[in-house]
Structures are given as structure tokens and as C-alpha cells.
Amino acid sequence: MTGLIAALDTTDPQQARRWATAVAPSCGMLKLGLEFYLANGAAGVRLIDDRPVFLDLKLHDIPNTVAGGVRAILPLRPAFLTLHAGGGRAMIAAARAAADVAGADRPKLLAVTVLTSLDAEALHETGVAGGTRQQVLRLARLALAAGADGLVCSAHEISTLRDALGPEPLLVVPGIRPAGSAVGDQARTMTPREAASAGADWLVVGRPITAAADPGAAAAAIAAELVG
Ligand code: C5P
């Protein structure tokens, strides 16, 4: 079944805690991203003691540095951790080797292929000659072969990735909007039910929950869509 992850995008740890408590009955995981981590560090993550936590830090550096970053994060026991597939095979393999030290409780590594904020022209500007779909598949295969457990992908990439890669890789999907909700800056969205039936393992939902008058009720309504 598809699970729900609430993205707690704030620099305020008290706000994050309130959201975490409100969504606890409906969300199997809480996502803390760059803005929270840069403002509050590891101590801030420890304040969010509802587990499991997805640390969305999108690591991208030389293999030795990324491996050191993964080792530094292991005491926080995140369930998921993101890194950029564009860092290459050796970087991903180094991250996986560092994570493996934690044994069965190790964080699952999720690779980001092409940022969904890049359109075809912006991607071409970075030097990528083929199209977005081709680049997503190339980086997805590379990341999984190097030791990533899954991918962060757009809802519109789910069926392509499932067809090419099979049922095994975890697919974690942001850009989700319940029918009728404001889209904000997400360009190509899907409803929770559509993304779940396309084959997502986890949906990441931020503002439709956190900007709602009642975040707990908003999360519960989305979760109900996933089971109903
Ligand atoms: O508020 P919203 O539902 O748009 O939040 C989506 C979350 O997923 C944010 O934390 C954002 O950083 C993250 N994300 C995304 N698109 C990606 C990868 C991550 O929106 N391609």
C-alpha cells in the first residue's frame, strides 16, 4: 500500500513538532528538508521524535565527503536519506557503504535524478543532450546499480520507471495535490489516488497539509484517499 509522508518545511522546530503531532495518525513518515536542517541541525531533528524521519538533504559532493556526511547522520537514524544521482556511481556506492555500517537499521538511500524544477530547456542548458525522460532513466539505472534503494520522482515518471525498472525500487513521489487544492509552484501534479495507482510507494505532501486550517484533518483526508 502507498504510504503518506508529510513534508514539514519550516525553520521553526516548535511548528514542526505541532505538525508532527497533528499528522501522526495518518503519516507513516515525516520529511525534514534543507531549510529545517540548516536552521536547526541534528539537535532539531532529535526534537522530532516521532519516527521514522526522512532527511531530504540531497547530498552531492565527492565520494569521500558524502560518505562522511552519511556517517555523521547515522546517529539520527533516518529512515530515508536523499542524494543526487548526478554525483555518479562512486559517490552513490560510497554513500551506500557508509550507510551499511548501521546494519539492518540503515537509512534507505533515495536518488534524485533530474530536478522537477528543470524543464527541457533548462536541462539542455546544463549540457544534457538527450531529453528529460532519457536522462531520468539513465540516472535511475546508474543510481540503483550503485546501491541506491529507490528514487525520488515526479508522479508523471512513475509508470515509465516501473516499466523500465520493475517493482523493486522504492518510488517516493512529491508534487501531489488532492483534487481541488491550490497547486502553488508545483508544475505537474497528480492527486494522491492517481499517484498511488500509478505505483508510488510513498507520497510526499507538504503545503496541502501544512497550509491547511486543520493539518491533521488534511492529512487524514489524503490518507483516506489512499486506502479507499
Ligand atoms: O508543499 P509541497 O507539497 O509542494 O512540498 C513538496 C515537498 O517535496 C517539498 O519538501 C519539496 O522540497 C519536495 N520535493 C519536491 N520536488 C522534488 C523533490 C522534492 O517538491 N522533485
Side-chain angles (χ1 to χ4, degrees):
M1 206 195 83
T2 306
L4 180 59
I5 299 174
L8 309 182
D9 290 324
T10 175
T11 55
D12 176 357
Q14 302 317 322
Q15 176 65 268
R17 268 232 55 81
R18 283 194 292 276
W19 285 335
T21 304
V23 305
S26 319
C27 293
M29 203 176 300
L30 303 168
K31 183 171 92 74
L32 298 173
L34 205 53
E35 90 183 79
F36 184 90
Y37 195 79
L38 292 179
N40 302 293
V45 177
R46 288 196 180 90
L47 287 175
I48 312 298
D49 52 9
D50 310 68
R51 294 281 149 171
V53 163
F54 169 5
L55 278 185
D56 188 14
L57 301 181
K58 296 191 177 68
L59 305 178
H60 191 172
D61 210 313
I62 61 170
N64 188 55
T65 299
V66 166
V70 172
R71 277 194 298 277
I73 276 167
L74 289 183
L76 296 174
R77 305 183 63 218
F80 289 171
L81 178 65
T82 45
L83 73 184
H84 275 285
R89 185 184 300 275
M91 186 202 82
I92 297 162
R96 175 62 189 264
D100 278 343
V101 170
D105 276 352
R106 72 170 175 85
K108 295 260 195 314
L109 300 180
L110 303 176
V112 176
T113 58
V114 176
L115 288 171
T116 49
S117 52
L118 294 177
D119 61 15
E121 192 188 333
L123 184 63
H124 193 257
E125 258 181 348
T126 68
V128 173
T132 303
R133 186 189 133 100
Q134 198 181 331
Q135 182 69 357
V136 166
L137 271 175
R138 172 195 290 269
L139 288 175
R141 288 200 172 97
L142 174 75
L144 296 169
D149 300 281
L151 304 159
V152 178
C153 69
S154 133
H156 295 271
E157 293 163 355
I158 299 171
S159 52
T160 302
L161 290 168
R162 281 279 175 243
D163 288 349
L165 307 169
E168 191 65 20
L170 281 169
L171 295 185
V172 177
V173 181
I176 299 298
R177 289 294 177 268
S181 80
V183 166
D185 56 2
Q186 295 278 16
R188 297 169 70 229
T189 62
M190 262 193 198
T191 67
R193 191 186 292 267
E194 285 167 344
S197 34
D201 294 296
W202 291 90
L203 305 183
V204 177
V205 182
R207 288 159 293 177
I209 294 174
T210 58
D214 182 343
I222 296 169
E225 228 187 284
L226 298 179
V227 291

